[in-house]
Amino acid sequence: MTRFWVCVAGAGFFLAFLVFHSRFCASRLPLPLHFAFKISWRPEEALYRLDVDWPKYSEYFTGATFCVAVDSLNGLVYVAQVKQKRESEIMLRNQNCFLAQSRRSAQTAGLYGHTIKKYNSFGDLVQVLGTPGKKGTGLNPLQFDNPAELYVEDTGDIYIVDGDGGLNNRLIKLSQDFMILWLHGENGTGPAKFSIPHSVTVDSDGRVWVADRGNKRIQVFDKDTGEWLGAWNNCFSEEGPSAVRFTPDGKHLIVAQLNLSRLLLVAAPPVGSIGDCSVISTIQLADQVSPHLLDVSGKTGAVYVAEIGAKQVQKYVPVKSYFSSFGS
């Protein structure tokens, strides 16, 4: 107790000295002195929590999980993983198809061996784009080199980021019958150029958001014309984004950073303005977990993270106060 009162007395004496000095001595100094005290006792509010009860059968994860997708209509979660023999499979449904990434319950699509593959809801292969096992840059027929991710709108239009360290660094928009509607496809640091475009998503205001991982930024485009609308780079000085998805209400963008093992919750800008990136909250994962890609349930707002380092998928659910903002 004596030590406590000594500290209080010392702090009071120091403050009194500052007041006396600023009143009687500041005018004699060539430069004014400015003191600012900021004490914060409130920690950052957690907006998501880990669902420790999911999945019920973690033994399904036997390889490096590199992608996850949610079929909110049917309550299904699809996981793609690489096993030692470079085989990919959907584990949670125990089917021998590749990667689910669609908002339409009637189809899924996959990325494997420089191809885009489309499956129906029964796991039957119905379409292949690209040449299996052969990388390329051609547009007619369309070829790929390590496509990283795709996003399918309810209209059936498909957005593909092609070039996870390969020949291509491009963003392609296809119609539902696989016709090229527009593309940006040049390696570089300028507007509408890419260095390892790694993830893509679309918001409800008609803007396409691309995780331009190598350039440590997110680029934004008009979904109808492909016009470049702006970029965010102020949030990614340490590391570029590896995955991007919106919350169901469209108010926030969830961003994964692979090597930092971190998720960012970023405020979405209003229509007509891209502005700067503003981080609302962070989720720090364990070291070397390495969140590669993620998806968000449009029904519950739950975030599913494919952790390529930890060889698992984890589920984060909104806390009650935050969940209420999504509506029913």
Side-chain angles (χ1 to χ4, degrees), residues 244-270:
V244 286
R245 281 295 183 272
F246 278 92
T247 55
D249 58 7
K251 294 181 179 179
H252 299 98
L253 189 68
I254 299 178
V255 181
Q257 292 179 295
L258 180 73
N259 295 316
L260 293 177
S261 292
R262 183 170 67 185
L263 305 180
L264 305 178
L265 189 72
V266 182

PDB file of all heavy atoms in Angstrom, residues 244-270:
ATOM      1  N   VAL A 244     -10.944 -12.555 -49.943  1.00  0.00           N
ATOM      2  CA  VAL A 244     -11.904 -11.476 -49.692  1.00  0.00           C
ATOM      3  C   VAL A 244     -13.330 -12.024 -49.811  1.00  0.00           C
ATOM      4  O   VAL A 244     -13.642 -12.744 -50.749  1.00  0.00           O
ATOM      5  CB  VAL A 244     -11.729 -10.302 -50.671  1.00  0.00           C
ATOM      6  CG1 VAL A 244     -10.495  -9.495 -50.350  1.00  0.00           C
ATOM      7  CG2 VAL A 244     -11.663 -10.791 -52.116  1.00  0.00           C
ATOM      8  N   ARG A 245     -14.174 -11.676 -48.843  1.00  0.00           N
ATOM      9  CA  ARG A 245     -15.592 -11.998 -48.867  1.00  0.00           C
ATOM     10  C   ARG A 245     -16.365 -10.945 -48.077  1.00  0.00           C
ATOM     11  O   ARG A 245     -15.850 -10.383 -47.113  1.00  0.00           O
ATOM     12  CB  ARG A 245     -15.866 -13.372 -48.258  1.00  0.00           C
ATOM     13  CG  ARG A 245     -15.568 -14.567 -49.159  1.00  0.00           C
ATOM     14  CD  ARG A 245     -16.485 -14.602 -50.383  1.00  0.00           C
ATOM     15  NE  ARG A 245     -16.243 -15.780 -51.190  1.00  0.00           N
ATOM     16  CZ  ARG A 245     -15.339 -15.845 -52.163  1.00  0.00           C
ATOM     17  NH1 ARG A 245     -14.538 -14.823 -52.401  1.00  0.00           N
ATOM     18  NH2 ARG A 245     -15.205 -16.935 -52.882  1.00  0.00           N
ATOM     19  N   PHE A 246     -17.620 -10.709 -48.455  1.00  0.00           N
ATOM     20  CA  PHE A 246     -18.465  -9.750 -47.756  1.00  0.00           C
ATOM     21  C   PHE A 246     -19.353 -10.445 -46.729  1.00  0.00           C
ATOM     22  O   PHE A 246     -19.733 -11.614 -46.905  1.00  0.00           O
ATOM     23  CB  PHE A 246     -19.346  -8.985 -48.747  1.00  0.00           C
ATOM     24  CG  PHE A 246     -18.641  -7.832 -49.403  1.00  0.00           C
ATOM     25  CD1 PHE A 246     -17.991  -8.011 -50.609  1.00  0.00           C
ATOM     26  CD2 PHE A 246     -18.604  -6.582 -48.806  1.00  0.00           C
ATOM     27  CE1 PHE A 246     -17.322  -6.967 -51.215  1.00  0.00           C
ATOM     28  CE2 PHE A 246     -17.943  -5.525 -49.408  1.00  0.00           C
ATOM     29  CZ  PHE A 246     -17.302  -5.713 -50.618  1.00  0.00           C
ATOM     30  N   THR A 247     -19.673  -9.722 -45.659  1.00  0.00           N
ATOM     31  CA  THR A 247     -20.680 -10.179 -44.720  1.00  0.00           C
ATOM     32  C   THR A 247     -22.048 -10.097 -45.392  1.00  0.00           C
ATOM     33  O   THR A 247     -22.224  -9.360 -46.368  1.00  0.00           O
ATOM     34  CB  THR A 247     -20.664  -9.331 -43.444  1.00  0.00           C
ATOM     35  OG1 THR A 247     -20.822  -7.940 -43.791  1.00  0.00           O
ATOM     36  CG2 THR A 247     -19.355  -9.509 -42.687  1.00  0.00           C
ATOM     37  N   PRO A 248     -23.040 -10.849 -44.917  1.00  0.00           N
ATOM     38  CA  PRO A 248     -24.341 -10.875 -45.589  1.00  0.00           C
ATOM     39  C   PRO A 248     -25.009  -9.513 -45.742  1.00  0.00           C
ATOM     40  O   PRO A 248     -25.722  -9.279 -46.720  1.00  0.00           O
ATOM     41  CB  PRO A 248     -25.172 -11.798 -44.690  1.00  0.00           C
ATOM     42  CG  PRO A 248     -24.184 -12.679 -44.038  1.00  0.00           C
ATOM     43  CD  PRO A 248     -22.965 -11.822 -43.809  1.00  0.00           C
ATOM     44  N   ASP A 249     -24.778  -8.604 -44.800  1.00  0.00           N
ATOM     45  CA  ASP A 249     -25.390  -7.284 -44.899  1.00  0.00           C
ATOM     46  C   ASP A 249     -24.623  -6.349 -45.829  1.00  0.00           C
ATOM     47  O   ASP A 249     -25.068  -5.231 -46.101  1.00  0.00           O
ATOM     48  CB  ASP A 249     -25.530  -6.641 -43.521  1.00  0.00           C
ATOM     49  CG  ASP A 249     -24.194  -6.487 -42.789  1.00  0.00           C
ATOM     50  OD1 ASP A 249     -23.135  -6.759 -43.401  1.00  0.00           O
ATOM     51  OD2 ASP A 249     -24.206  -6.098 -41.610  1.00  0.00           O
ATOM     52  N   GLY A 250     -23.460  -6.788 -46.327  1.00  0.00           N
ATOM     53  CA  GLY A 250     -22.685  -5.971 -47.250  1.00  0.00           C
ATOM     54  C   GLY A 250     -21.951  -4.814 -46.616  1.00  0.00           C
ATOM     55  O   GLY A 250     -21.320  -4.025 -47.318  1.00  0.00           O
ATOM     56  N   LYS A 251     -21.980  -4.723 -45.290  1.00  0.00           N
ATOM     57  CA  LYS A 251     -21.361  -3.586 -44.615  1.00  0.00           C
ATOM     58  C   LYS A 251     -19.872  -3.774 -44.358  1.00  0.00           C
ATOM     59  O   LYS A 251     -19.151  -2.810 -44.119  1.00  0.00           O
ATOM     60  CB  LYS A 251     -22.076  -3.315 -43.285  1.00  0.00           C
ATOM     61  CG  LYS A 251     -23.525  -2.858 -43.451  1.00  0.00           C
ATOM     62  CD  LYS A 251     -24.159  -2.588 -42.096  1.00  0.00           C
ATOM     63  CE  LYS A 251     -25.598  -2.120 -42.240  1.00  0.00           C
ATOM     64  NZ  LYS A 251     -26.228  -1.879 -40.920  1.00  0.00           N
ATOM     65  N   HIS A 252     -19.419  -5.012 -44.383  1.00  0.00           N
ATOM     66  CA  HIS A 252     -18.022  -5.283 -44.054  1.00  0.00           C
ATOM     67  C   HIS A 252     -17.434  -6.295 -45.017  1.00  0.00           C
ATOM     68  O   HIS A 252     -18.130  -7.165 -45.545  1.00  0.00           O
ATOM     69  CB  HIS A 252     -17.885  -5.801 -42.623  1.00  0.00           C
ATOM     70  CG  HIS A 252     -18.371  -4.845 -41.592  1.00  0.00           C
ATOM     71  ND1 HIS A 252     -19.633  -4.935 -41.033  1.00  0.00           N
ATOM     72  CD2 HIS A 252     -17.790  -3.769 -41.019  1.00  0.00           C
ATOM     73  CE1 HIS A 252     -19.789  -3.952 -40.158  1.00  0.00           C
ATOM     74  NE2 HIS A 252     -18.683  -3.232 -40.134  1.00  0.00           N
ATOM     75  N   LEU A 253     -16.145  -6.159 -45.228  1.00  0.00           N
ATOM     76  CA  LEU A 253     -15.371  -7.081 -46.042  1.00  0.00           C
ATOM     77  C   LEU A 253     -14.427  -7.842 -45.117  1.00  0.00           C
ATOM     78  O   LEU A 253     -13.729  -7.242 -44.311  1.00  0.00           O
ATOM     79  CB  LEU A 253     -14.568  -6.318 -47.090  1.00  0.00           C
ATOM     80  CG  LEU A 253     -13.862  -7.119 -48.177  1.00  0.00           C
ATOM     81  CD1 LEU A 253     -14.876  -7.758 -49.111  1.00  0.00           C
ATOM     82  CD2 LEU A 253     -12.920  -6.205 -48.973  1.00  0.00           C
ATOM     83  N   ILE A 254     -14.450  -9.168 -45.218  1.00  0.00           N
ATOM     84  CA  ILE A 254     -13.553  -9.992 -44.417  1.00  0.00           C
ATOM     85  C   ILE A 254     -12.367 -10.381 -45.279  1.00  0.00           C
ATOM     86  O   ILE A 254     -12.531 -10.917 -46.376  1.00  0.00           O
ATOM     87  CB  ILE A 254     -14.277 -11.229 -43.875  1.00  0.00           C
ATOM     88  CG1 ILE A 254     -15.427 -10.787 -42.977  1.00  0.00           C
ATOM     89  CG2 ILE A 254     -13.312 -12.120 -43.107  1.00  0.00           C
ATOM     90  CD1 ILE A 254     -16.248 -11.921 -42.422  1.00  0.00           C
ATOM     91  N   VAL A 255     -11.172 -10.098 -44.790  1.00  0.00           N
ATOM     92  CA  VAL A 255      -9.942 -10.275 -45.554  1.00  0.00           C
ATOM     93  C   VAL A 255      -9.002 -11.196 -44.782  1.00  0.00           C
ATOM     94  O   VAL A 255      -8.816 -11.023 -43.573  1.00  0.00           O
ATOM     95  CB  VAL A 255      -9.247  -8.922 -45.804  1.00  0.00           C
ATOM     96  CG1 VAL A 255      -7.977  -9.119 -46.625  1.00  0.00           C
ATOM     97  CG2 VAL A 255     -10.197  -7.949 -46.501  1.00  0.00           C
ATOM     98  N   ALA A 256      -8.421 -12.161 -45.473  1.00  0.00           N
ATOM     99  CA  ALA A 256      -7.432 -13.046 -44.862  1.00  0.00           C
ATOM    100  C   ALA A 256      -6.033 -12.627 -45.287  1.00  0.00           C
ATOM    101  O   ALA A 256      -5.811 -12.226 -46.431  1.00  0.00           O
ATOM    102  CB  ALA A 256      -7.685 -14.499 -45.265  1.00  0.00           C
ATOM    103  N   GLN A 257      -5.092 -12.716 -44.357  1.00  0.00           N
ATOM    104  CA  GLN A 257      -3.671 -12.497 -44.634  1.00  0.00           C
ATOM    105  C   GLN A 257      -2.928 -13.777 -44.275  1.00  0.00           C
ATOM    106  O   GLN A 257      -2.846 -14.161 -43.103  1.00  0.00           O
ATOM    107  CB  GLN A 257      -3.146 -11.297 -43.848  1.00  0.00           C
ATOM    108  CG  GLN A 257      -3.734  -9.967 -44.331  1.00  0.00           C
ATOM    109  CD  GLN A 257      -3.232  -8.790 -43.532  1.00  0.00           C
ATOM    110  OE1 GLN A 257      -3.504  -8.680 -42.342  1.00  0.00           O
ATOM    111  NE2 GLN A 257      -2.478  -7.911 -44.175  1.00  0.00           N
ATOM    112  N   LEU A 258      -2.387 -14.429 -45.281  1.00  0.00           N
ATOM    113  CA  LEU A 258      -1.853 -15.778 -45.166  1.00  0.00           C
ATOM    114  C   LEU A 258      -0.722 -15.900 -44.155  1.00  0.00           C
ATOM    115  O   LEU A 258      -0.820 -16.638 -43.162  1.00  0.00           O
ATOM    116  CB  LEU A 258      -1.390 -16.249 -46.541  1.00  0.00           C
ATOM    117  CG  LEU A 258      -0.804 -17.650 -46.629  1.00  0.00           C
ATOM    118  CD1 LEU A 258      -1.900 -18.686 -46.494  1.00  0.00           C
ATOM    119  CD2 LEU A 258      -0.062 -17.843 -47.951  1.00  0.00           C
ATOM    120  N   ASN A 259       0.375 -15.206 -44.377  1.00  0.00           N
ATOM    121  CA  ASN A 259       1.568 -15.387 -43.553  1.00  0.00           C
ATOM    122  C   ASN A 259       1.448 -14.759 -42.169  1.00  0.00           C
ATOM    123  O   ASN A 259       2.163 -15.154 -41.241  1.00  0.00           O
ATOM    124  CB  ASN A 259       2.789 -14.828 -44.273  1.00  0.00           C
ATOM    125  CG  ASN A 259       3.105 -15.599 -45.539  1.00  0.00           C
ATOM    126  OD1 ASN A 259       3.071 -16.822 -45.552  1.00  0.00           O
ATOM    127  ND2 ASN A 259       3.392 -14.887 -46.625  1.00  0.00           N
ATOM    128  N   LEU A 260       0.566 -13.783 -42.029  1.00  0.00           N
ATOM    129  CA  LEU A 260       0.326 -13.185 -40.719  1.00  0.00           C
ATOM    130  C   LEU A 260      -0.681 -13.986 -39.902  1.00  0.00           C
ATOM    131  O   LEU A 260      -0.902 -13.683 -38.727  1.00  0.00           O
ATOM    132  CB  LEU A 260      -0.175 -11.743 -40.878  1.00  0.00           C
ATOM    133  CG  LEU A 260       0.818 -10.740 -41.451  1.00  0.00           C
ATOM    134  CD1 LEU A 260       0.155  -9.378 -41.625  1.00  0.00           C
ATOM    135  CD2 LEU A 260       2.053 -10.614 -40.558  1.00  0.00           C
ATOM    136  N   SER A 261      -1.323 -14.975 -40.531  1.00  0.00           N
ATOM    137  CA  SER A 261      -2.361 -15.766 -39.865  1.00  0.00           C
ATOM    138  C   SER A 261      -3.385 -14.852 -39.197  1.00  0.00           C
ATOM    139  O   SER A 261      -3.661 -14.952 -37.994  1.00  0.00           O
ATOM    140  CB  SER A 261      -1.738 -16.732 -38.837  1.00  0.00           C
ATOM    141  OG  SER A 261      -0.987 -17.733 -39.496  1.00  0.00           O
ATOM    142  N   ARG A 262      -3.968 -13.971 -40.027  1.00  0.00           N
ATOM    143  CA  ARG A 262      -4.852 -12.949 -39.480  1.00  0.00           C
ATOM    144  C   ARG A 262      -6.035 -12.706 -40.401  1.00  0.00           C
ATOM    145  O   ARG A 262      -5.923 -12.777 -41.623  1.00  0.00           O
ATOM    146  CB  ARG A 262      -4.059 -11.660 -39.281  1.00  0.00           C
ATOM    147  CG  ARG A 262      -4.845 -10.528 -38.648  1.00  0.00           C
ATOM    148  CD  ARG A 262      -3.918  -9.391 -38.263  1.00  0.00           C
ATOM    149  NE  ARG A 262      -3.314  -8.727 -39.406  1.00  0.00           N
ATOM    150  CZ  ARG A 262      -2.402  -7.760 -39.306  1.00  0.00           C
ATOM    151  NH1 ARG A 262      -1.971  -7.374 -38.109  1.00  0.00           N
ATOM    152  NH2 ARG A 262      -1.899  -7.197 -40.390  1.00  0.00           N
ATOM    153  N   LEU A 263      -7.191 -12.423 -39.795  1.00  0.00           N
ATOM    154  CA  LEU A 263      -8.371 -12.000 -40.521  1.00  0.00           C
ATOM    155  C   LEU A 263      -8.680 -10.554 -40.154  1.00  0.00           C
ATOM    156  O   LEU A 263      -8.589 -10.170 -38.982  1.00  0.00           O
ATOM    157  CB  LEU A 263      -9.582 -12.872 -40.182  1.00  0.00           C
ATOM    158  CG  LEU A 263      -9.446 -14.389 -40.368  1.00  0.00           C
ATOM    159  CD1 LEU A 263     -10.747 -15.077 -39.987  1.00  0.00           C
ATOM    160  CD2 LEU A 263      -9.049 -14.733 -41.789  1.00  0.00           C
ATOM    161  N   LEU A 264      -9.030  -9.762 -41.148  1.00  0.00           N
ATOM    162  CA  LEU A 264      -9.410  -8.373 -40.928  1.00  0.00           C
ATOM    163  C   LEU A 264     -10.881  -8.182 -41.271  1.00  0.00           C
ATOM    164  O   LEU A 264     -11.365  -8.713 -42.271  1.00  0.00           O
ATOM    165  CB  LEU A 264      -8.570  -7.434 -41.810  1.00  0.00           C
ATOM    166  CG  LEU A 264      -7.050  -7.514 -41.714  1.00  0.00           C
ATOM    167  CD1 LEU A 264      -6.421  -6.541 -42.689  1.00  0.00           C
ATOM    168  CD2 LEU A 264      -6.576  -7.255 -40.291  1.00  0.00           C
ATOM    169  N   LEU A 265     -11.581  -7.431 -40.446  1.00  0.00           N
ATOM    170  CA  LEU A 265     -12.948  -7.013 -40.739  1.00  0.00           C
ATOM    171  C   LEU A 265     -12.878  -5.541 -41.133  1.00  0.00           C
ATOM    172  O   LEU A 265     -12.557  -4.686 -40.313  1.00  0.00           O
ATOM    173  CB  LEU A 265     -13.854  -7.214 -39.527  1.00  0.00           C
ATOM    174  CG  LEU A 265     -15.342  -7.003 -39.782  1.00  0.00           C
ATOM    175  CD1 LEU A 265     -15.910  -8.153 -40.604  1.00  0.00           C
ATOM    176  CD2 LEU A 265     -16.103  -6.866 -38.457  1.00  0.00           C
ATOM    177  N   VAL A 266     -13.173  -5.257 -42.405  1.00  0.00           N
ATOM    178  CA  VAL A 266     -12.962  -3.928 -42.967  1.00  0.00           C
ATOM    179  C   VAL A 266     -14.299  -3.318 -43.353  1.00  0.00           C
ATOM    180  O   VAL A 266     -15.177  -4.006 -43.895  1.00  0.00           O
ATOM    181  CB  VAL A 266     -12.034  -4.018 -44.207  1.00  0.00           C
ATOM    182  CG1 VAL A 266     -11.759  -2.644 -44.762  1.00  0.00           C
ATOM    183  CG2 VAL A 266     -10.728  -4.712 -43.841  1.00  0.00           C
ATOM    184  N   ALA A 267     -14.471  -2.025 -43.095  1.00  0.00           N
ATOM    185  CA  ALA A 267     -15.709  -1.333 -43.443  1.00  0.00           C
ATOM    186  C   ALA A 267     -15.829  -1.172 -44.955  1.00  0.00           C
ATOM    187  O   ALA A 267     -14.891  -0.735 -45.615  1.00  0.00           O
ATOM    188  CB  ALA A 267     -15.765   0.030 -42.755  1.00  0.00           C
ATOM    189  N   ALA A 268     -16.978  -1.522 -45.492  1.00  0.00           N
ATOM    190  CA  ALA A 268     -17.222  -1.354 -46.924  1.00  0.00           C
ATOM    191  C   ALA A 268     -17.562   0.107 -47.216  1.00  0.00           C
ATOM    192  O   ALA A 268     -18.317   0.737 -46.466  1.00  0.00           O
ATOM    193  CB  ALA A 268     -18.367  -2.257 -47.377  1.00  0.00           C
ATOM    194  N   PRO A 269     -17.035   0.671 -48.303  1.00  0.00           N
ATOM    195  CA  PRO A 269     -17.308   2.076 -48.614  1.00  0.00           C
ATOM    196  C   PRO A 269     -18.685   2.242 -49.237  1.00  0.00           C
ATOM    197  O   PRO A 269     -19.249   1.291 -49.788  1.00  0.00           O
ATOM    198  CB  PRO A 269     -16.202   2.415 -49.624  1.00  0.00           C
ATOM    199  CG  PRO A 269     -15.958   1.134 -50.332  1.00  0.00           C
ATOM    200  CD  PRO A 269     -16.113   0.061 -49.286  1.00  0.00           C
ATOM    201  N   PRO A 270     -19.243   3.450 -49.189  1.00  0.00           N
ATOM    202  CA  PRO A 270     -20.537   3.690 -49.823  1.00  0.00           C
ATOM    203  C   PRO A 270     -20.415   3.667 -51.344  1.00  0.00           C
ATOM    204  O   PRO A 270     -19.306   3.708 -51.896  1.00  0.00           O
ATOM    205  CB  PRO A 270     -20.915   5.092 -49.320  1.00  0.00           C
ATOM    206  CG  PRO A 270     -19.599   5.747 -49.018  1.00  0.00           C
ATOM    207  CD  PRO A 270     -18.712   4.656 -48.515  1.00  0.00           C
TER     208      PRO A 270
END
